[in-house]
Amino acid sequence: MGETKSTAVNSGTENGKSVTVIGLGPMGQAMVRTFLKNGYQVTLWNRTASKAAELVAEGAVLAATPQEALSANELVVLSLTDYDAVYAILKPAAEALAGRVVVNLSSDTPAKAREAAEWLAGHGATQLTGGVQVPPSGIGQPESSTFYSGPKDVFAAHEETLQVLTGADYRGEDPGLAALYYQLQMDMFWTTMLSYLHSVAVAEANGITAAELLPYLTSTMASIPNFMAFYTPRVDAGDHTGDVDKLAMGVASVDHILHTTKDSGVDTALPAAVLEIFRRGMAAGHGGDSFSSLTEVFKKAAA
Ligand code: NDP
């Protein structure tokens, strides 16, 4: 660790603002720097202590143990890979959890978030679950946003500090809600980005570069919000009238994409999966309905 200090006694700052951050991946490091820039005294801990060196040089205090990091401040921000990492760190340090507010910004499922909130409550701590919606470069930008859920009074008490990192979008008391909203966003993000990469692969197989394709794909993406705005009230009302589109037409369209992919010598797994879902909708009798009826197909499959 060289010059890094291993003391975590929180003497507080002139303005009394202090926080503990556990986890120094790219996200945790960006958070520590943002807190420091905003005048916070930051105590930190990370499994790989060497990642703290630069931050200590910038003014943070490295705790020798997770217990010490937890003891330093009421507010503890966790920025870890997942909840397995959370338990790996907190279980051996559980006796230092009483009275802490643990802002858990580690991604995982809503069920794991609820379970962790209960586990923390059992040790006298309160969890605020968070789902950060921006990459590390978005930390410290007021237009960035993070979902939060958990006890409203606890959120309100710490909102000002959380706003230092990003805008804070409180979703409700259920500790699973922030994780759920985060996963809903990621569901759409990964599927969309995969469709982008697939389209690029087909383009490149035909001698078109990703750069040449970009304006056209951007234009398609820009039209998506209008489609969502049109279909949203219908989906909420369970109205899948086939007046502007029909699932049967969609099947033919996806089939063309599948064959274009195959003819280009590109992997067909993605359009084949899409076609299979459209065909399930046909088999369920939705051929004359809008393709929005696939939402009913998805829900049935999950039951
Ligand atoms: P990383 O996966 O790089 O974070 C790793 C952190 O978790 C490190 O501090 C690492 O310690 C620690 N860790 C992992 N496993 C263990 C373990 N078993 N025991 C102890 N510590 C462990 O992620 P990021 O910093 O990129 O992100 C942090 C969280 O934020 C993640 O949940 C991520 O999904 C979420 N997020 C990230 C975004 C991004 O763009 N990066 C965007 C939005 C959310 P060590 O340094 O020792 O390996």
PDB file of all heavy atoms in Angstrom, residues 19 21-38 40 42 44 55 77-80 103 105-106 131-132 134-136 139-140 146 148 164-166:
ATOM      1  N   VAL A  19     -18.961  10.297   4.859  1.00  0.00           N
ATOM      2  CA  VAL A  19     -19.593   9.101   4.322  1.00  0.00           C
ATOM      3  C   VAL A  19     -18.538   7.998   4.177  1.00  0.00           C
ATOM      4  O   VAL A  19     -17.347   8.297   4.018  1.00  0.00           O
ATOM      5  CB  VAL A  19     -20.259   9.434   2.952  1.00  0.00           C
ATOM      6  CG1 VAL A  19     -19.235   9.851   1.899  1.00  0.00           C
ATOM      7  CG2 VAL A  19     -21.094   8.272   2.421  1.00  0.00           C
ATOM      8  N   VAL A  21     -17.487   4.680   1.854  1.00  0.00           N
ATOM      9  CA  VAL A  21     -17.731   3.997   0.569  1.00  0.00           C
ATOM     10  C   VAL A  21     -16.964   2.679   0.590  1.00  0.00           C
ATOM     11  O   VAL A  21     -15.751   2.661   0.826  1.00  0.00           O
ATOM     12  CB  VAL A  21     -17.268   4.863  -0.634  1.00  0.00           C
ATOM     13  CG1 VAL A  21     -17.459   4.084  -1.938  1.00  0.00           C
ATOM     14  CG2 VAL A  21     -18.034   6.182  -0.686  1.00  0.00           C
ATOM     15  N   ILE A  22     -17.682   1.585   0.366  1.00  0.00           N
ATOM     16  CA  ILE A  22     -17.039   0.269   0.292  1.00  0.00           C
ATOM     17  C   ILE A  22     -17.202  -0.242  -1.134  1.00  0.00           C
ATOM     18  O   ILE A  22     -18.325  -0.347  -1.640  1.00  0.00           O
ATOM     19  CB  ILE A  22     -17.664  -0.710   1.317  1.00  0.00           C
ATOM     20  CG1 ILE A  22     -17.378  -0.199   2.736  1.00  0.00           C
ATOM     21  CG2 ILE A  22     -17.123  -2.124   1.115  1.00  0.00           C
ATOM     22  CD1 ILE A  22     -17.923  -1.085   3.853  1.00  0.00           C
ATOM     23  N   GLY A  23     -16.096  -0.552  -1.779  1.00  0.00           N
ATOM     24  CA  GLY A  23     -16.110  -1.007  -3.176  1.00  0.00           C
ATOM     25  C   GLY A  23     -15.498   0.050  -4.065  1.00  0.00           C
ATOM     26  O   GLY A  23     -16.013   1.170  -4.160  1.00  0.00           O
ATOM     27  N   LEU A  24     -14.364  -0.290  -4.648  1.00  0.00           N
ATOM     28  CA  LEU A  24     -13.641   0.693  -5.470  1.00  0.00           C
ATOM     29  C   LEU A  24     -13.435   0.180  -6.894  1.00  0.00           C
ATOM     30  O   LEU A  24     -12.336   0.255  -7.446  1.00  0.00           O
ATOM     31  CB  LEU A  24     -12.297   1.047  -4.821  1.00  0.00           C
ATOM     32  CG  LEU A  24     -12.366   1.718  -3.448  1.00  0.00           C
ATOM     33  CD1 LEU A  24     -10.972   1.969  -2.907  1.00  0.00           C
ATOM     34  CD2 LEU A  24     -13.163   3.033  -3.525  1.00  0.00           C
ATOM     35  N   GLY A  25     -14.506  -0.350  -7.496  1.00  0.00           N
ATOM     36  CA  GLY A  25     -14.479  -0.574  -8.939  1.00  0.00           C
ATOM     37  C   GLY A  25     -14.556   0.800  -9.588  1.00  0.00           C
ATOM     38  O   GLY A  25     -14.509   1.836  -8.901  1.00  0.00           O
ATOM     39  N   PRO A  26     -14.693   0.866 -10.902  1.00  0.00           N
ATOM     40  CA  PRO A  26     -14.784   2.168 -11.576  1.00  0.00           C
ATOM     41  C   PRO A  26     -15.887   3.046 -10.986  1.00  0.00           C
ATOM     42  O   PRO A  26     -15.717   4.261 -10.828  1.00  0.00           O
ATOM     43  CB  PRO A  26     -15.116   1.786 -13.025  1.00  0.00           C
ATOM     44  CG  PRO A  26     -14.665   0.368 -13.178  1.00  0.00           C
ATOM     45  CD  PRO A  26     -14.752  -0.271 -11.830  1.00  0.00           C
ATOM     46  N   MET A  27     -17.005   2.414 -10.597  1.00  0.00           N
ATOM     47  CA  MET A  27     -18.140   3.172 -10.072  1.00  0.00           C
ATOM     48  C   MET A  27     -17.828   3.737  -8.686  1.00  0.00           C
ATOM     49  O   MET A  27     -18.034   4.929  -8.429  1.00  0.00           O
ATOM     50  CB  MET A  27     -19.350   2.233 -10.023  1.00  0.00           C
ATOM     51  CG  MET A  27     -20.642   2.899  -9.838  1.00  0.00           C
ATOM     52  SD  MET A  27     -20.934   4.146 -11.080  1.00  0.00           S
ATOM     53  CE  MET A  27     -22.135   3.376 -12.104  1.00  0.00           C
ATOM     54  N   GLY A  28     -17.333   2.883  -7.795  1.00  0.00           N
ATOM     55  CA  GLY A  28     -17.007   3.323  -6.439  1.00  0.00           C
ATOM     56  C   GLY A  28     -15.952   4.427  -6.461  1.00  0.00           C
ATOM     57  O   GLY A  28     -16.051   5.402  -5.708  1.00  0.00           O
ATOM     58  N   GLN A  29     -14.961   4.297  -7.336  1.00  0.00           N
ATOM     59  CA  GLN A  29     -13.905   5.325  -7.415  1.00  0.00           C
ATOM     60  C   GLN A  29     -14.486   6.665  -7.850  1.00  0.00           C
ATOM     61  O   GLN A  29     -14.140   7.716  -7.306  1.00  0.00           O
ATOM     62  CB  GLN A  29     -12.825   4.875  -8.402  1.00  0.00           C
ATOM     63  CG  GLN A  29     -12.070   3.656  -7.897  1.00  0.00           C
ATOM     64  CD  GLN A  29     -10.781   3.407  -8.664  1.00  0.00           C
ATOM     65  OE1 GLN A  29     -10.184   4.335  -9.178  1.00  0.00           O
ATOM     66  NE2 GLN A  29     -10.364   2.159  -8.718  1.00  0.00           N
ATOM     67  N   ALA A  30     -15.394   6.616  -8.829  1.00  0.00           N
ATOM     68  CA  ALA A  30     -16.024   7.865  -9.291  1.00  0.00           C
ATOM     69  C   ALA A  30     -16.840   8.487  -8.160  1.00  0.00           C
ATOM     70  O   ALA A  30     -16.862   9.718  -7.993  1.00  0.00           O
ATOM     71  CB  ALA A  30     -16.920   7.584 -10.498  1.00  0.00           C
ATOM     72  N   MET A  31     -17.479   7.637  -7.359  1.00  0.00           N
ATOM     73  CA  MET A  31     -18.294   8.152  -6.246  1.00  0.00           C
ATOM     74  C   MET A  31     -17.416   8.803  -5.178  1.00  0.00           C
ATOM     75  O   MET A  31     -17.743   9.882  -4.664  1.00  0.00           O
ATOM     76  CB  MET A  31     -19.129   7.015  -5.650  1.00  0.00           C
ATOM     77  CG  MET A  31     -20.233   6.577  -6.598  1.00  0.00           C
ATOM     78  SD  MET A  31     -21.138   5.150  -5.999  1.00  0.00           S
ATOM     79  CE  MET A  31     -22.405   5.045  -7.282  1.00  0.00           C
ATOM     80  N   VAL A  32     -16.311   8.141  -4.844  1.00  0.00           N
ATOM     81  CA  VAL A  32     -15.412   8.704  -3.830  1.00  0.00           C
ATOM     82  C   VAL A  32     -14.912  10.072  -4.297  1.00  0.00           C
ATOM     83  O   VAL A  32     -14.938  11.053  -3.541  1.00  0.00           O
ATOM     84  CB  VAL A  32     -14.228   7.744  -3.573  1.00  0.00           C
ATOM     85  CG1 VAL A  32     -13.180   8.419  -2.693  1.00  0.00           C
ATOM     86  CG2 VAL A  32     -14.723   6.449  -2.928  1.00  0.00           C
ATOM     87  N   ARG A  33     -14.469  10.153  -5.550  1.00  0.00           N
ATOM     88  CA  ARG A  33     -13.935  11.433  -6.071  1.00  0.00           C
ATOM     89  C   ARG A  33     -15.002  12.521  -6.016  1.00  0.00           C
ATOM     90  O   ARG A  33     -14.720  13.674  -5.681  1.00  0.00           O
ATOM     91  CB  ARG A  33     -13.460  11.259  -7.514  1.00  0.00           C
ATOM     92  CG  ARG A  33     -12.203  10.449  -7.606  1.00  0.00           C
ATOM     93  CD  ARG A  33     -11.335  10.765  -8.818  1.00  0.00           C
ATOM     94  NE  ARG A  33     -10.011  10.231  -8.559  1.00  0.00           N
ATOM     95  CZ  ARG A  33      -9.629   8.978  -8.890  1.00  0.00           C
ATOM     96  NH1 ARG A  33     -10.462   8.167  -9.508  1.00  0.00           N
ATOM     97  NH2 ARG A  33      -8.414   8.569  -8.594  1.00  0.00           N
ATOM     98  N   THR A  34     -16.240  12.154  -6.338  1.00  0.00           N
ATOM     99  CA  THR A  34     -17.330  13.143  -6.341  1.00  0.00           C
ATOM    100  C   THR A  34     -17.622  13.624  -4.923  1.00  0.00           C
ATOM    101  O   THR A  34     -17.815  14.820  -4.690  1.00  0.00           O
ATOM    102  CB  THR A  34     -18.586  12.533  -6.994  1.00  0.00           C
ATOM    103  OG1 THR A  34     -18.225  12.138  -8.309  1.00  0.00           O
ATOM    104  CG2 THR A  34     -19.729  13.506  -7.051  1.00  0.00           C
ATOM    105  N   PHE A  35     -17.635  12.691  -3.965  1.00  0.00           N
ATOM    106  CA  PHE A  35     -17.851  13.097  -2.576  1.00  0.00           C
ATOM    107  C   PHE A  35     -16.723  14.026  -2.118  1.00  0.00           C
ATOM    108  O   PHE A  35     -16.968  15.048  -1.477  1.00  0.00           O
ATOM    109  CB  PHE A  35     -17.923  11.873  -1.656  1.00  0.00           C
ATOM    110  CG  PHE A  35     -19.289  11.225  -1.608  1.00  0.00           C
ATOM    111  CD1 PHE A  35     -19.437   9.855  -1.767  1.00  0.00           C
ATOM    112  CD2 PHE A  35     -20.435  11.982  -1.383  1.00  0.00           C
ATOM    113  CE1 PHE A  35     -20.696   9.252  -1.704  1.00  0.00           C
ATOM    114  CE2 PHE A  35     -21.700  11.390  -1.309  1.00  0.00           C
ATOM    115  CZ  PHE A  35     -21.824  10.022  -1.480  1.00  0.00           C
ATOM    116  N   LEU A  36     -15.487  13.652  -2.450  1.00  0.00           N
ATOM    117  CA  LEU A  36     -14.344  14.480  -2.029  1.00  0.00           C
ATOM    118  C   LEU A  36     -14.463  15.888  -2.615  1.00  0.00           C
ATOM    119  O   LEU A  36     -14.267  16.891  -1.934  1.00  0.00           O
ATOM    120  CB  LEU A  36     -13.023  13.842  -2.479  1.00  0.00           C
ATOM    121  CG  LEU A  36     -12.574  12.572  -1.722  1.00  0.00           C
ATOM    122  CD1 LEU A  36     -11.346  11.966  -2.400  1.00  0.00           C
ATOM    123  CD2 LEU A  36     -12.276  12.868  -0.253  1.00  0.00           C
ATOM    124  N   LYS A  37     -14.812  15.926  -3.901  1.00  0.00           N
ATOM    125  CA  LYS A  37     -14.923  17.222  -4.591  1.00  0.00           C
ATOM    126  C   LYS A  37     -15.998  18.099  -3.940  1.00  0.00           C
ATOM    127  O   LYS A  37     -15.940  19.316  -3.996  1.00  0.00           O
ATOM    128  CB  LYS A  37     -15.280  16.961  -6.069  1.00  0.00           C
ATOM    129  CG  LYS A  37     -14.565  17.919  -7.012  1.00  0.00           C
ATOM    130  CD  LYS A  37     -15.046  17.818  -8.436  1.00  0.00           C
ATOM    131  CE  LYS A  37     -14.799  16.473  -9.071  1.00  0.00           C
ATOM    132  NZ  LYS A  37     -15.452  16.361 -10.392  1.00  0.00           N
ATOM    133  N   ASN A  38     -16.999  17.442  -3.346  1.00  0.00           N
ATOM    134  CA  ASN A  38     -18.090  18.186  -2.720  1.00  0.00           C
ATOM    135  C   ASN A  38     -17.882  18.407  -1.225  1.00  0.00           C
ATOM    136  O   ASN A  38     -18.842  18.681  -0.497  1.00  0.00           O
ATOM    137  CB  ASN A  38     -19.417  17.467  -2.987  1.00  0.00           C
ATOM    138  CG  ASN A  38     -19.909  17.715  -4.402  1.00  0.00           C
ATOM    139  OD1 ASN A  38     -20.578  18.707  -4.667  1.00  0.00           O
ATOM    140  ND2 ASN A  38     -19.531  16.845  -5.326  1.00  0.00           N
ATOM    141  N   TYR A  40     -16.877  16.294   1.213  1.00  0.00           N
ATOM    142  CA  TYR A  40     -17.145  15.215   2.177  1.00  0.00           C
ATOM    143  C   TYR A  40     -15.843  14.603   2.665  1.00  0.00           C
ATOM    144  O   TYR A  40     -14.882  14.477   1.907  1.00  0.00           O
ATOM    145  CB  TYR A  40     -17.993  14.107   1.527  1.00  0.00           C
ATOM    146  CG  TYR A  40     -19.465  14.441   1.485  1.00  0.00           C
ATOM    147  CD1 TYR A  40     -19.950  15.389   0.580  1.00  0.00           C
ATOM    148  CD2 TYR A  40     -20.362  13.831   2.358  1.00  0.00           C
ATOM    149  CE1 TYR A  40     -21.302  15.713   0.540  1.00  0.00           C
ATOM    150  CE2 TYR A  40     -21.713  14.149   2.324  1.00  0.00           C
ATOM    151  CZ  TYR A  40     -22.175  15.089   1.417  1.00  0.00           C
ATOM    152  OH  TYR A  40     -23.492  15.406   1.392  1.00  0.00           O
ATOM    153  N   VAL A  42     -14.331  11.215   3.328  1.00  0.00           N
ATOM    154  CA  VAL A  42     -14.690   9.876   2.849  1.00  0.00           C
ATOM    155  C   VAL A  42     -13.766   8.828   3.456  1.00  0.00           C
ATOM    156  O   VAL A  42     -12.542   8.914   3.336  1.00  0.00           O
ATOM    157  CB  VAL A  42     -14.603   9.784   1.302  1.00  0.00           C
ATOM    158  CG1 VAL A  42     -15.091   8.424   0.821  1.00  0.00           C
ATOM    159  CG2 VAL A  42     -15.400  10.913   0.643  1.00  0.00           C
ATOM    160  N   LEU A  44     -12.924   4.817   3.241  1.00  0.00           N
ATOM    161  CA  LEU A  44     -13.197   3.750   2.276  1.00  0.00           C
ATOM    162  C   LEU A  44     -12.546   2.441   2.649  1.00  0.00           C
ATOM    163  O   LEU A  44     -11.626   2.393   3.475  1.00  0.00           O
ATOM    164  CB  LEU A  44     -12.790   4.184   0.865  1.00  0.00           C
ATOM    165  CG  LEU A  44     -11.551   5.038   0.668  1.00  0.00           C
ATOM    166  CD1 LEU A  44     -10.353   4.155   0.503  1.00  0.00           C
ATOM    167  CD2 LEU A  44     -11.777   5.895  -0.563  1.00  0.00           C
ATOM    168  N   LEU A  55      -6.873   7.528  -4.252  1.00  0.00           N
ATOM    169  CA  LEU A  55      -7.962   8.233  -3.559  1.00  0.00           C
ATOM    170  C   LEU A  55      -7.490   8.746  -2.205  1.00  0.00           C
ATOM    171  O   LEU A  55      -7.904   9.820  -1.760  1.00  0.00           O
ATOM    172  CB  LEU A  55      -9.167   7.303  -3.411  1.00  0.00           C
ATOM    173  CG  LEU A  55      -9.755   6.836  -4.752  1.00  0.00           C
ATOM    174  CD1 LEU A  55     -10.727   5.684  -4.550  1.00  0.00           C
ATOM    175  CD2 LEU A  55     -10.459   7.997  -5.457  1.00  0.00           C
ATOM    176  N   VAL A  77     -22.026   3.689   1.755  1.00  0.00           N
ATOM    177  CA  VAL A  77     -22.385   3.396   0.359  1.00  0.00           C
ATOM    178  C   VAL A  77     -21.638   2.147  -0.080  1.00  0.00           C
ATOM    179  O   VAL A  77     -20.416   2.063   0.072  1.00  0.00           O
ATOM    180  CB  VAL A  77     -22.008   4.591  -0.561  1.00  0.00           C
ATOM    181  CG1 VAL A  77     -22.195   4.232  -2.021  1.00  0.00           C
ATOM    182  CG2 VAL A  77     -22.834   5.817  -0.195  1.00  0.00           C
ATOM    183  N   LEU A  78     -22.384   1.173  -0.603  1.00  0.00           N
ATOM    184  CA  LEU A  78     -21.756  -0.043  -1.141  1.00  0.00           C
ATOM    185  C   LEU A  78     -21.808   0.004  -2.662  1.00  0.00           C
ATOM    186  O   LEU A  78     -22.882   0.212  -3.243  1.00  0.00           O
ATOM    187  CB  LEU A  78     -22.509  -1.296  -0.683  1.00  0.00           C
ATOM    188  CG  LEU A  78     -22.651  -1.560   0.813  1.00  0.00           C
ATOM    189  CD1 LEU A  78     -23.354  -2.900   1.025  1.00  0.00           C
ATOM    190  CD2 LEU A  78     -21.293  -1.558   1.504  1.00  0.00           C
ATOM    191  N   SER A  79     -20.670  -0.179  -3.313  1.00  0.00           N
ATOM    192  CA  SER A  79     -20.637  -0.238  -4.775  1.00  0.00           C
ATOM    193  C   SER A  79     -19.856  -1.490  -5.160  1.00  0.00           C
ATOM    194  O   SER A  79     -18.667  -1.433  -5.442  1.00  0.00           O
ATOM    195  CB  SER A  79     -19.977   1.014  -5.345  1.00  0.00           C
ATOM    196  OG  SER A  79     -19.944   0.924  -6.765  1.00  0.00           O
ATOM    197  N   LEU A  80     -20.567  -2.622  -5.122  1.00  0.00           N
ATOM    198  CA  LEU A  80     -19.925  -3.922  -5.323  1.00  0.00           C
ATOM    199  C   LEU A  80     -20.555  -4.640  -6.510  1.00  0.00           C
ATOM    200  O   LEU A  80     -21.663  -4.294  -6.938  1.00  0.00           O
ATOM    201  CB  LEU A  80     -20.060  -4.756  -4.050  1.00  0.00           C
ATOM    202  CG  LEU A  80     -19.412  -4.091  -2.818  1.00  0.00           C
ATOM    203  CD1 LEU A  80     -19.903  -4.714  -1.523  1.00  0.00           C
ATOM    204  CD2 LEU A  80     -17.891  -4.165  -2.917  1.00  0.00           C
ATOM    205  N   VAL A 103     -26.459   2.214   1.928  1.00  0.00           N
ATOM    206  CA  VAL A 103     -26.975   2.545   0.590  1.00  0.00           C
ATOM    207  C   VAL A 103     -26.347   1.543  -0.374  1.00  0.00           C
ATOM    208  O   VAL A 103     -25.177   1.659  -0.734  1.00  0.00           O
ATOM    209  CB  VAL A 103     -26.609   3.989   0.199  1.00  0.00           C
ATOM    210  CG1 VAL A 103     -27.177   4.326  -1.167  1.00  0.00           C
ATOM    211  CG2 VAL A 103     -27.111   4.955   1.253  1.00  0.00           C
ATOM    212  N   LEU A 105     -25.697   0.147  -3.628  1.00  0.00           N
ATOM    213  CA  LEU A 105     -25.750   0.480  -5.060  1.00  0.00           C
ATOM    214  C   LEU A 105     -25.170  -0.651  -5.897  1.00  0.00           C
ATOM    215  O   LEU A 105     -24.755  -0.447  -7.035  1.00  0.00           O
ATOM    216  CB  LEU A 105     -24.994   1.786  -5.321  1.00  0.00           C
ATOM    217  CG  LEU A 105     -25.495   3.004  -4.533  1.00  0.00           C
ATOM    218  CD1 LEU A 105     -24.660   4.229  -4.834  1.00  0.00           C
ATOM    219  CD2 LEU A 105     -26.963   3.286  -4.853  1.00  0.00           C
ATOM    220  N   SER A 106     -25.135  -1.851  -5.309  1.00  0.00           N
ATOM    221  CA  SER A 106     -24.656  -3.028  -6.039  1.00  0.00           C
ATOM    222  C   SER A 106     -25.843  -3.622  -6.789  1.00  0.00           C
ATOM    223  O   SER A 106     -26.925  -3.745  -6.239  1.00  0.00           O
ATOM    224  CB  SER A 106     -24.111  -4.072  -5.062  1.00  0.00           C
ATOM    225  OG  SER A 106     -23.325  -3.441  -4.060  1.00  0.00           O
ATOM    226  N   GLY A 131     -30.223   1.734  -7.682  1.00  0.00           N
ATOM    227  CA  GLY A 131     -29.903   1.235  -9.026  1.00  0.00           C
ATOM    228  C   GLY A 131     -29.399   2.412  -9.849  1.00  0.00           C
ATOM    229  O   GLY A 131     -30.183   3.276 -10.256  1.00  0.00           O
ATOM    230  N   VAL A 132     -28.091   2.459 -10.038  1.00  0.00           N
ATOM    231  CA  VAL A 132     -27.478   3.598 -10.746  1.00  0.00           C
ATOM    232  C   VAL A 132     -27.724   3.428 -12.250  1.00  0.00           C
ATOM    233  O   VAL A 132     -27.440   2.381 -12.819  1.00  0.00           O
ATOM    234  CB  VAL A 132     -25.958   3.649 -10.476  1.00  0.00           C
ATOM    235  CG1 VAL A 132     -25.331   4.855 -11.166  1.00  0.00           C
ATOM    236  CG2 VAL A 132     -25.688   3.690  -8.981  1.00  0.00           C
ATOM    237  N   VAL A 134     -26.384   5.286 -14.729  1.00  0.00           N
ATOM    238  CA  VAL A 134     -25.368   5.888 -15.612  1.00  0.00           C
ATOM    239  C   VAL A 134     -24.026   5.200 -15.408  1.00  0.00           C
ATOM    240  O   VAL A 134     -23.790   4.603 -14.357  1.00  0.00           O
ATOM    241  CB  VAL A 134     -25.203   7.406 -15.330  1.00  0.00           C
ATOM    242  CG1 VAL A 134     -26.414   8.164 -15.792  1.00  0.00           C
ATOM    243  CG2 VAL A 134     -24.906   7.655 -13.857  1.00  0.00           C
ATOM    244  N   PRO A 135     -23.132   5.295 -16.399  1.00  0.00           N
ATOM    245  CA  PRO A 135     -21.779   4.773 -16.197  1.00  0.00           C
ATOM    246  C   PRO A 135     -21.006   5.684 -15.248  1.00  0.00           C
ATOM    247  O   PRO A 135     -21.487   6.774 -14.905  1.00  0.00           O
ATOM    248  CB  PRO A 135     -21.175   4.796 -17.614  1.00  0.00           C
ATOM    249  CG  PRO A 135     -21.951   5.829 -18.350  1.00  0.00           C
ATOM    250  CD  PRO A 135     -23.322   5.848 -17.744  1.00  0.00           C
ATOM    251  N   PRO A 136     -19.792   5.266 -14.827  1.00  0.00           N
ATOM    252  CA  PRO A 136     -19.023   6.086 -13.871  1.00  0.00           C
ATOM    253  C   PRO A 136     -18.872   7.544 -14.303  1.00  0.00           C
ATOM    254  O   PRO A 136     -18.867   8.443 -13.460  1.00  0.00           O
ATOM    255  CB  PRO A 136     -17.673   5.366 -13.821  1.00  0.00           C
ATOM    256  CG  PRO A 136     -18.018   3.928 -14.093  1.00  0.00           C
ATOM    257  CD  PRO A 136     -19.126   3.965 -15.098  1.00  0.00           C
ATOM    258  N   ILE A 139     -21.396  10.004 -12.849  1.00  0.00           N
ATOM    259  CA  ILE A 139     -21.453  10.301 -11.405  1.00  0.00           C
ATOM    260  C   ILE A 139     -21.012  11.756 -11.183  1.00  0.00           C
ATOM    261  O   ILE A 139     -20.015  12.208 -11.751  1.00  0.00           O
ATOM    262  CB  ILE A 139     -20.543   9.322 -10.605  1.00  0.00           C
ATOM    263  CG1 ILE A 139     -20.992   7.870 -10.842  1.00  0.00           C
ATOM    264  CG2 ILE A 139     -20.550   9.667  -9.115  1.00  0.00           C
ATOM    265  CD1 ILE A 139     -22.416   7.553 -10.441  1.00  0.00           C
ATOM    266  N   GLY A 140     -21.805  12.465 -10.387  1.00  0.00           N
ATOM    267  CA  GLY A 140     -21.505  13.876 -10.142  1.00  0.00           C
ATOM    268  C   GLY A 140     -22.220  14.800 -11.117  1.00  0.00           C
ATOM    269  O   GLY A 140     -22.084  16.014 -11.033  1.00  0.00           O
ATOM    270  N   THR A 146     -30.471   7.898 -10.315  1.00  0.00           N
ATOM    271  CA  THR A 146     -30.380   6.599  -9.626  1.00  0.00           C
ATOM    272  C   THR A 146     -31.736   6.301  -8.999  1.00  0.00           C
ATOM    273  O   THR A 146     -32.347   7.181  -8.399  1.00  0.00           O
ATOM    274  CB  THR A 146     -29.299   6.663  -8.519  1.00  0.00           C
ATOM    275  OG1 THR A 146     -28.035   6.929  -9.121  1.00  0.00           O
ATOM    276  CG2 THR A 146     -29.222   5.356  -7.734  1.00  0.00           C
ATOM    277  N   TYR A 148     -34.000   4.728  -6.147  1.00  0.00           N
ATOM    278  CA  TYR A 148     -33.849   4.345  -4.739  1.00  0.00           C
ATOM    279  C   TYR A 148     -35.154   3.766  -4.229  1.00  0.00           C
ATOM    280  O   TYR A 148     -36.241   4.162  -4.670  1.00  0.00           O
ATOM    281  CB  TYR A 148     -33.484   5.564  -3.874  1.00  0.00           C
ATOM    282  CG  TYR A 148     -32.061   6.025  -4.081  1.00  0.00           C
ATOM    283  CD1 TYR A 148     -31.781   7.129  -4.879  1.00  0.00           C
ATOM    284  CD2 TYR A 148     -31.001   5.341  -3.498  1.00  0.00           C
ATOM    285  CE1 TYR A 148     -30.465   7.543  -5.090  1.00  0.00           C
ATOM    286  CE2 TYR A 148     -29.684   5.754  -3.711  1.00  0.00           C
ATOM    287  CZ  TYR A 148     -29.427   6.845  -4.499  1.00  0.00           C
ATOM    288  OH  TYR A 148     -28.132   7.240  -4.712  1.00  0.00           O
ATOM    289  N   VAL A 164     -25.589  14.299  -4.322  1.00  0.00           N
ATOM    290  CA  VAL A 164     -24.220  14.673  -4.708  1.00  0.00           C
ATOM    291  C   VAL A 164     -23.753  13.734  -5.828  1.00  0.00           C
ATOM    292  O   VAL A 164     -23.029  14.147  -6.743  1.00  0.00           O
ATOM    293  CB  VAL A 164     -23.273  14.588  -3.485  1.00  0.00           C
ATOM    294  CG1 VAL A 164     -21.816  14.659  -3.894  1.00  0.00           C
ATOM    295  CG2 VAL A 164     -23.607  15.690  -2.489  1.00  0.00           C
ATOM    296  N   LEU A 165     -24.184  12.479  -5.763  1.00  0.00           N
ATOM    297  CA  LEU A 165     -23.741  11.481  -6.753  1.00  0.00           C
ATOM    298  C   LEU A 165     -24.499  11.611  -8.067  1.00  0.00           C
ATOM    299  O   LEU A 165     -23.904  11.676  -9.145  1.00  0.00           O
ATOM    300  CB  LEU A 165     -23.927  10.067  -6.190  1.00  0.00           C
ATOM    301  CG  LEU A 165     -23.125   9.728  -4.924  1.00  0.00           C
ATOM    302  CD1 LEU A 165     -23.449   8.324  -4.450  1.00  0.00           C
ATOM    303  CD2 LEU A 165     -21.622   9.880  -5.181  1.00  0.00           C
ATOM    304  N   THR A 166     -25.815  11.596  -7.964  1.00  0.00           N
ATOM    305  CA  THR A 166     -26.702  11.724  -9.157  1.00  0.00           C
ATOM    306  C   THR A 166     -28.047  12.243  -8.653  1.00  0.00           C
ATOM    307  O   THR A 166     -28.275  12.284  -7.453  1.00  0.00           O
ATOM    308  CB  THR A 166     -26.996  10.349  -9.819  1.00  0.00           C
ATOM    309  OG1 THR A 166     -27.739   9.551  -8.884  1.00  0.00           O
ATOM    310  CG2 THR A 166     -25.744   9.621 -10.266  1.00  0.00           C
TER     311      THR A 166
END
